Amino acid sequence: MKARNTALMASFLVAAIALGGCSNQQAYIYKADEFNRASPTFNKDPVDRDNVQICYSKLATNVDELLQMAATECGRYGKTARFQGHDYLECPLTTPARATFACLRK
């Protein structure tokens, strides 16, 4: 029984270290149907954008980086970015937070 508990604890330790190493993943712009080949927007840049969603890890990304990413993406469409909110459970485990910015006409 003690050997089983030791093996289980070792497995948890290895998993925690592995997941901890993944937390340095760079923030990126979330695209809902990015891998859905049946989607009409598959592998195409949007013609216009009402909002931008960014998946990120709080351990690897700061607020200034998020603001810059959103401003750059909205700026591609002649718009400015305004923070709307953030949520969880939509992005992968390595970048669990998602910030949403509205892209507004100047």
Side-chain angles (χ1 to χ4, degrees):
M1 183 74 169
K2 187 174 183 178
R4 182 176 180 204
N5 287 342
T6 302
L8 186 60
M9 291 301 280
S11 297
F12 281 125
L13 181 61
V14 168
I17 291 170
L19 287 175
C22 295
S23 66
N24 290 331
Q25 178 148 349
Q26 296 292 335
Y28 62 91
I29 295 173
Y30 175 76
K31 298 176 187 171
D33 285 332
E34 183 174 13
F35 301 108
N36 179 3
R37 291 181 182 269
S39 172
T41 61
F42 176 74
N43 203 26
K44 295 179 184 173
D45 286 331
V47 177
D48 193 14
R49 187 180 281 281
D50 293 326
N51 66 40
V52 60
Q53 297 172 325
I54 302 172
C55 292
Y56 69 99
S57 167
K58 290 183 178 181
L59 300 174
T61 308
N62 63 45
V63 174
D64 292 334
E65 292 171 321
L66 291 175
L67 293 171
Q68 182 60 45
M69 286 179 70
T72 300
E73 184 63 19
C74 291
R76 292 176 57 201
Y77 303 94
K79 298 180 178 183
T80 58
R82 179 176 293 159
F83 180 73
Q84 287 185 313
H86 68 273
D87 58 15
Y88 298 93
L89 302 177
E90 293 296 327
C91 296
L93 185 60
T94 58
T95 54
R98 181 176 71 173
T100 301
F101 294 85
C103 294
L104 305 172
R105 293 262 177 233
K106 294 181 180 179

